[in-house]
Amino acid sequence: MERNMPKIVCFMCNWTYCQEELHVPSNVNVVRVMCVGRIDPIIVLETFANGADGVMLVGCKPPDCHFVDGNLQAERAVKVLKKLMALTGLEPERLKLFWSSPLEEISFSYLAREFSEDIWKLGVSQLKWPESEVSENILAAKNAASDFRLRVLLGREEELTELMNAYGEKISQKEFDALLDDVVKAEFIRHKIHLLTKTKPLSVKALAEKLGIKPAAVLRHITNMRRKGMIALDRVEGTTPLYKALEVK
Amino acid sequence: MTAIPISEKRLLPPCRVACPARVNVQAYVSLIQRGKFREAVEVIRKDMPFPAICGRVCFSPCEDACARVNVDQAVAIRALKRLVADIEREQGRVTPEPIPKKYSEKVAIIGAGPAGLTAAYELAKLGYPVTVFERMSEPGGMMRYCLPNFRLEKFVVANEIAYIQDLGVEIKTGVEFGKDVTLESLKADGYKVFFIAIGTQKGMKLNVPGEDLEGVMNAVDFLRAVALGEHVTVGERVAVIGGGNTAIDAARTAKKLGAKEVMILYRRSREEMLALPHEVELAEKDGVKIYLLVAPKQIIGENGKVKAVECLRMRLGEPDESGRRRPVPISFSEHQYEVDMVIPALGQVAETESLPPEILSKDKRGPPLQVDPLTLETNVPGVFAGGDIATGPASIIEAVGAGKRAAVSIHLYLRGQDLQKGREEKVEETTWVKNWSFIKKKERRYEPPIEKPHLSFDEAAEYLERTKQKARFEAFRCLGCGPCAECLASMDLCEGDKAVVDENSCVGCNVCAVICPFEAIKKNEKGIAQVNEDLCKGCGLCAARCPEQAITMKKLTNEQILTLALATLRR
């Protein structure tokens, strides 16, 4: 029984619980970081890619944070990560953000056990299945998470929604969420295309089939990617142009 | 560890700047936040030896300076300090190892009050053999003999002094300076340096007729007699004259000893009272009556005993040199209070008879000793003086500050270095908060109990747990105004971690500057982000968000976090 327990990685803020108070189940690996907002989305995706069944993030309950609003930053990252995970086919429930407070009645060990139980119900991470499509997707998600556009948007959420942008406009939270949704989707698909065309040149039609979206949408992405220097025309077979990924940076 | 003077200008939070002993408030509040109570006490002990005493009776200038007042209320710094010190004492203090004597010069400290003991503590930490001479039978000075047990328990004082003794400080009690030992006899015994911290022990006189009547007892003498356990007869109706903390203490003690009616007569109004407002409230709760704007004219006696105090009404005039409004008597306003005991509590003066005449100041009106305010030197080389004796009656924490300064001076003197050079503290008060309206309001979450509850064994553990939680919750109210506070917590994780920008990959997108809660990252003229290491607290939010991944942390990098995370997965 013990051997089959899901493997869980827990990133925990240094200021929430004290080491002495922790009674950690053996399947949970607790990693202390300065603030739960310290966790880069890439780190979480990498952890999944390396075989974690679930990831817990534990931070201080707002409005208390040793670093003013690091916990809210974590909340934003989790929001984006869940969207990305949904796109890859990995269950977003495998990632969960917990708030803790000194006055909390529920202990950490209880939370960890409960989370293990939930993950147990979901089963082994698809990333561990042989020849799973998700493995490739998670790589695309990782690349998307390290993409400039997505990260700028993520980093500037507070500035854009609560203050104003360079043009003196203020974006409502709803507008921002819609924007973020689009960007996450677009970046994920672009990086997926990039990965697919890396090994051999592919046509728009073939890509559209693999990705399950309309060829017109694929073409739009490819146009964008050509402008950014991510992809180039390899050759034309008959009347079908084939595209091949370029090395980025 | 050492109290070596601070050379360059340092950014410090307001609480630490306000504290005369420069206690690292932000650090121990941070540690309480993490639930590291013992480490918090250790951090306090780095700066001063009396966490439990100051947690009870300090007038807490730190709380007055706390930047949180701009939002709601100051953080309950004193209460938190008291709690951590009490928890440590009750759960058993770890006896520290005596500090090896690095130097051979013997130091004599006269007076085992807060100033003398702090100096002894700091010098012992530096590695000097220190001996403290105390006239009374127990060390502690005013902390033991003037503060009543209900404000500061004797065992608390004893415990804190025992810590100092554990470090290797020798305390000789029952030795009176000027009688049993003198400067000459101590010099003959091999003492090189002297620190005189005898404080102000004599209560000031009322200077009204009838002061010699039976039933007039000075507040200091009264409190000392009670503390010594002597038989003190308290009258039925007691008048305490004065408005300082001593007056309040004397009044409350008299009430607790069984006086039917206790009144405090004060010649100014309530705003001018020097006593802590909180203490005044407690006294009133105890049933002490406070009469304001009255001053005694004479004490009327009958058969050599006190019968009544005749008082004059006062009104407030122009402010005097202390900044408080001077009381002006109203003519023909005499009235009497029928009492059988009068306790004058007008302040204290030093007993200068025991001091060698050469160090006394010529000016009779000022303080009896003239010392350099910075180095605490007297006009005799090798003799230093500080605490109440040099400044007039002040507070414990100011005496602790004086003791620390004296220790640094003595160290420099014995090492043959310049005492003045670099002593001027270059500190700058700072807080990262620019806009107070962004800070969310949080009301105080912890207050110390006025009376310790009586609990059974099972309840006690639960009570302690609940109190700890509340204290941690309260500690979260701290804004952490200053830069990284160099607490002991840094040892296990952040170690003063700072962000580093890779200038070649920075594109100047400004995300880090937006993310940083403390405005530690700014773009320079080239448009490249630069980290101000004084302000950076090492949270790493910028490293987690940098779009080009150009920012890394010095210690805990992304790769390291990942390695830690994957450590168990690969097994």
Side-chain angles (χ1 to χ4, degrees):
Chain A
M1 179 71 194
E2 184 67 31
R3 211 170 33 166
N4 294 338
M5 280 306 273
K7 287 192 169 172
I8 290 167
V9 175
C10 168
F11 294 105
M12 187 186 281
C13 168
N14 194 22
W15 305 91
T16 47
Y17 285 93
C18 186
Q19 227 99 37
E20 290 92 57
E21 295 166 19
L22 285 177
H23 301 291
V24 189
S26 58
N27 62 324
V28 178
N29 174 23
V30 176
V31 179
R32 288 260 173 185
V33 287
M34 280 299 275
C35 176
V36 69
R38 169 76 183 86
I39 295 303
D40 195 315
I42 304 170
I43 296 179
V44 175
L45 292 170
E46 190 82 45
T47 318
F48 277 119
N50 278 287
D53 294 313
V55 172
M56 294 172 84
L57 297 175
V58 183
C60 313
K61 192 175 185 175
D64 293 333
C65 175
H66 190 76
F67 300 106
V68 190
D69 56 359
N71 45 10
L72 302 180
Q73 297 289 1
E75 205 172 19
R76 289 181 190 127
V78 166
K79 200 169 68 187
V80 169
L81 274 166
K82 289 207 171 206
K83 280 177 189 166
L84 275 173
M85 283 167 73
L87 289 168
T88 59
L90 195 66
E91 299 89 343
E93 295 81 39
R94 290 186 187 273
L95 173 70
K96 200 167 176 188
L97 176 63
F98 294 91
W99 291 143
S100 84
S101 152
L103 294 191
E104 210 71 69
E105 294 288 318
I106 304 162
S107 70
F108 172 74
S109 52
Y110 179 81
L111 285 177
R113 272 202 302 277
E114 188 118 298
F115 186 67
S116 304
E117 203 59 37
D118 291 349
I119 299 298
W120 167 262
K121 280 175 197 151
L122 287 173
V124 178
S125 163
Q126 289 180 51
L127 288 162
K128 288 186 200 162
W129 297 359
E131 285 165 36
S132 155
E133 199 199 352
V134 183
S135 311
E136 203 161 60
N137 284 348
I138 210 96
L139 202 58
K142 225 162 64 191
N143 290 343
S146 54
D147 189 85
F148 186 83
R149 189 164 155 228
L150 182 57
R151 289 174 75 96
V152 167
L153 211 53
L154 185 54
R156 289 224 158 146
E157 175 169 350
E158 190 187 7
E159 192 193 16
L160 293 173
T161 56
E162 279 171 31
L163 303 161
M164 49 186 66
N165 67 6
Y167 306 105
E169 299 162 333
K170 202 167 153 182
I171 305 172
S172 74
Q173 190 68 45
K174 213 171 150 193
E175 277 175 287
F176 182 86
D177 285 342
L179 180 65
L180 194 66
D181 222 26
D182 286 350
V183 171
V184 169
K185 244 181 230 161
E187 288 304 328
F188 175 72
I189 290 170
R190 283 174 198 175
H191 282 277
K192 186 88 196 282
I193 292 174
H194 189 251
L195 282 175
L196 287 172
T197 54
K198 218 170 185 173
T199 41
K200 61 169 191 190
L202 286 170
S203 69
V204 170
K205 209 176 156 194
L207 280 169
E209 249 170 49
K210 282 202 174 203
L211 294 166
I213 53 172
K214 282 179 188 156
V218 175
L219 190 62
R220 214 167 47 235
H221 285 305
I222 287 181
T223 324
N224 242 311
M225 287 164 72
R226 282 180 76 173
R227 216 166 46 217
K228 283 164 89 181
M230 284 169 78
I231 204 166
L233 184 65
D234 189 59
R235 59 178 193 275
V236 183
E237 245 182 37
T239 51
T240 325
L242 295 184
Y243 295 94
K244 190 165 178 11
L246 293 173
E247 275 306 309
V248 182
K249 272 183 208 163
Chain B
M1 261 324 254
T2 55
I4 294 300
I6 302 150
S7 54
E8 77 262 42
K9 207 166 194 177
R10 293 213 308 178
L11 295 173
L12 293 180
C15 44
R16 197 171 180 188
V17 174
C19 181
R22 292 277 184 281
V23 178
N24 198 345
V25 177
Q26 193 186 317
Y28 72 73
V29 173
S30 284
L31 284 167
I32 294 169
Q33 225 177 70
R34 292 198 58 199
K36 300 209 166 223
F37 288 69
R38 269 175 192 269
E39 287 83 347
V41 186
E42 287 306 312
V43 162
I44 303 171
R45 287 229 173 88
K46 271 185 175 180
D47 293 310
M48 63 127 166
F50 305 123
I53 294 173
C54 281
R56 282 172 170 74
V57 293
C58 185
F59 74 108
S60 54
C62 47
E63 285 186 31
D64 299 338
C66 180
R68 181 108 218 164
V69 289
N70 293 320
V71 189
D72 34 52
Q73 249 181 315
V75 177
I77 299 169
R78 183 179 51 198
L80 290 177
K81 179 152 58 193
R82 174 180 172 163
L83 181 73
V84 289
D86 280 1
I87 288 178
E88 194 219 35
R89 193 188 60 249
E90 286 180 14
Q91 294 188 341
R93 171 168 64 78
V94 179
T95 311
E97 288 292 309
I99 291 170
K101 304 277 178 283
K102 234 166 76 186
Y103 305 104
S104 59
E105 293 95 340
K106 290 204 307 186
V107 181
I109 288 167
I110 321 295
L117 287 172
T118 307
Y121 173 76
E122 293 289 336
L123 285 166
K125 282 202 298 186
L126 286 170
Y128 287 97
V130 189
T131 313
V132 184
F133 297 93
E134 168 61 38
R135 176 175 67 168
M136 306 294 278
S137 57
E138 295 280 346
M142 284 296 191
M143 298 191 293
R144 181 183 282 270
Y145 291 111
C146 195
L147 285 163
N149 213 8
F150 54 83
R151 265 187 85 195
L152 178 60
E153 297 92 328
K154 299 283 174 281
F155 61 84
V156 172
V157 182
N159 178 59
E160 311 252 271
I161 293 170
Y163 184 88
I164 299 172
Q165 283 172 310
D166 287 343
L167 288 179
V169 172
E170 195 187 351
I171 301 178
K172 286 187 177 168
T173 51
V175 182
E176 191 168 349
F177 185 67
K179 208 191 264 168
D180 303 323
V181 287
T182 58
L183 276 188
E184 284 71 37
S185 78
L186 288 172
K187 266 181 193 160
D189 284 347
Y191 289 98
K192 293 274 185 300
V193 189
F194 304 89
F195 178 53
I196 296 170
I198 58 171
T200 49
Q201 303 294 335
K202 210 160 61 179
M204 250 168 18
K205 292 210 153 197
L206 266 174
N207 286 332
V208 295
E211 220 181 334
D212 306 322
L213 291 166
E214 194 185 318
V216 180
M217 192 174 188
N218 203 288
V220 185
D221 299 329
F222 171 68
L223 289 170
R224 190 177 294 135
V226 174
L228 280 168
E230 285 169 15
H231 183 71
V232 186
T233 37
V234 191
E236 294 251 301
R237 294 163 59 83
V238 180
V240 180
I241 296 158
N245 279 317
T246 315
I248 304 286
D249 286 346
R252 287 181 74 193
T253 307
K255 189 82 193 174
K256 279 175 205 277
L257 284 177
K260 289 237 168 59
E261 200 178 333
V262 180
M263 57 185 94
I264 289 175
L265 307 177
Y266 183 52
R267 58 196 183 132
R268 298 184 222 227
S269 70
R270 193 174 279 253
E271 281 80 62
E272 281 85 19
M273 273 183 133
L274 285 175
L276 300 175
H278 171 69
E279 292 292 326
V280 181
E281 265 170 46
L282 283 179
E284 281 187 319
K285 214 174 263 175
D286 281 355
V288 174
K289 282 184 187 143
I290 298 173
Y291 296 107
L292 299 161
L293 292 164
V294 283
K297 193 187 173 201
Q298 62 166 321
I299 299 168
I300 299 162
E302 198 179 63
N303 306 329
K305 280 188 181 168
V306 174
K307 188 170 160 267
V309 203
E310 191 177 75
C311 291
L312 275 173
R313 285 234 170 272
M314 296 283 177
R315 62 181 170 78
L316 290 177
E318 292 303 305
D320 63 4
E321 61 267 24
S322 73
R324 300 180 299 166
R325 290 176 72 187
R326 191 193 299 276
V328 183
I330 303 168
S331 353
F332 306 111
S333 64
E334 285 92 344
H335 55 295
Q336 288 185 1
Y337 296 97
E338 234 171 77
V339 291
D340 50 13
M341 187 177 187
V342 177
I343 304 178
L346 303 170
Q348 292 106 264
V349 286
E351 291 173 16
T352 51
E353 300 85 48
S354 63
L355 294 175
E358 64 265 26
I359 66 166
L360 294 177
S361 77
K362 307 282 171 292
D363 188 10
K364 285 275 171 267
R365 278 176 303 171
L369 278 179
Q370 274 306 238
V371 295
D372 186 317
L374 196 63
T375 63
L376 302 179
E377 282 174 291
T378 59
N379 43 20
V380 180
V383 180
F384 297 82
D388 284 1
I389 180 82
T391 55
S395 60
I396 291 177
I397 195 73
E398 280 163 279
V400 169
K404 281 180 80 173
R405 248 175 300 146
V408 176
S409 285
I410 289 169
H411 177 59
L412 292 173
Y413 175 81
L414 286 174
R415 302 270 69 78
Q417 286 164 11
D418 189 3
L419 267 60
Q420 294 278 355
K421 204 177 147 198
R423 286 300 288 280
E424 207 70 67
E425 271 188 300
K426 295 188 185 86
V427 292
E428 197 182 312
E429 196 175 303
T430 179
T431 170
W432 56 265
V433 186
K434 300 286 180 294
N435 192 336
W436 292 104
S437 58
F438 284 158
I439 309 287
K440 291 172 195 82
K441 274 193 183 175
K442 303 172 199 168
E443 289 306 316
R444 258 195 197 193
R445 296 150 165 184
Y446 174 71
E447 293 288 347
I450 291 166
E451 257 176 59
K452 216 171 157 187
H454 295 280
L455 300 168
S456 74
F457 197 72
D458 299 341
E459 288 168 331
E462 200 195 315
Y463 175 78
L464 178 68
E465 212 42 56
R466 235 179 313 124
T467 315
K468 273 183 167 179
Q469 284 179 344
K470 271 192 202 155
R472 293 184 61 182
F473 202 41
E474 168 70 23
F476 265 108
R477 291 180 66 234
C478 176
L479 293 164
C481 297
C484 173
E486 298 150 20
C487 51
L488 287 172
S490 64
M491 283 177 185
D492 62 25
L493 187 66
C494 69
E495 298 175 38
D497 209 352
K498 305 277 180 221
V500 190
V501 180
D502 176 8
E503 296 198 354
N504 294 323
S505 34
C506 177
V507 293
C509 62
N510 214 26
V511 166
C512 45
V514 175
I515 285 286
C516 181
F518 309 108
E519 299 190 19
I521 303 190
K522 285 257 156 64
K523 277 204 280 187
N524 65 5
E525 63 281 351
K526 280 185 265 169
I528 289 168
Q530 270 193 327
V531 182
N532 181 348
E533 294 213 344
D534 281 343
L535 297 176
C536 179
K537 294 194 189 185
C539 59
L541 294 178
C542 50
R545 285 288 178 281
C546 178
E548 288 292 331
Q549 299 176 39
I551 302 178
T552 47
M553 303 308 288
K554 273 186 186 166
K555 305 260 163 59
L556 200 67
T557 58
N558 279 359
E559 290 76 45
Q560 267 172 319
I561 295 177
L562 201 56
T563 331
L564 287 170
L566 302 182
T568 49
L569 295 179
R570 297 230 168 98
R571 232 187 272 147

